[in-house]
Amino acid sequence: MFAHSQAIGIGSGESSGQLSLRELIARVAQEVEVNSILASDFHDVISELAAKNMSSDVIERLQSLDLISQTLVEIGLFLDLVSAACPPDLFVSESLMDNIKLAALRDRLQGKAPDVGGAADPELW
């Protein structure tokens, strides 16, 4: 397991260019929890719209948003438990974060303050 851990950038001890695995998991849990709230909000809005204009078949299919929201809540809670159980001396190479394309998400996961003056992730609207 140690060789595999090294291959994915996880190790013990602290050095430059590494993130605490415990903190990283806690930040991922926060991201999941925020997204569960967004999914729940979308579900509420779509439910209001669906009640007025959509067939029962479409309404049933849109209920998957509720399942997504509930699943994200549970994953977030689980990640909180994993973070608390994670040894404090495990670290992840920051270079793994290069795989995350959304700059704002990458910055949040690295614990960097948001750059309010710089470019943000693209709006989808």
Side-chain angles (χ1 to χ4, degrees), residues 49-124:
L49 294 172
K52 298 176 184 177
N53 302 320
M54 295 185 188
S55 70
S56 60
D57 180 52
V58 172
I59 292 171
E60 286 179 25
R61 290 173 45 210
L62 290 173
Q63 288 299 314
S64 61
L65 277 175
D66 187 44
L67 177 60
I68 290 169
S69 177
Q70 291 177 36
T71 301
L72 289 172
V73 167
E74 291 299 315
I75 291 171
L77 292 171
F78 176 74
L79 288 174
D80 282 335
L81 294 172
V82 170
S83 173
C86 185
D89 64 342
L90 289 179
F91 294 85
V92 178
S93 171
E94 281 194 34
S95 65
L96 289 176
M97 304 307 259
D98 294 342
N99 295 304
I100 299 174
K101 294 184 183 3
L102 297 175
L105 173 61
R106 184 176 51 247
D107 289 348
R108 287 191 304 271
L109 292 179
Q110 290 175 320
K112 296 178 182 174
D115 180 12
V116 292
D121 291 328
E123 295 277 335
L124 300 177

Side-chain angles (χ1 to χ4, degrees), residues 1-22:
M1 180 165 141
F2 181 74
H4 181 302
S5 296
Q6 291 301 320
I8 61 170
I10 298 175
S12 60
E14 183 173 5
S15 68
S16 177
Q18 294 188 331
L19 300 168
S20 162
L21 183 60
R22 175 184 277 183

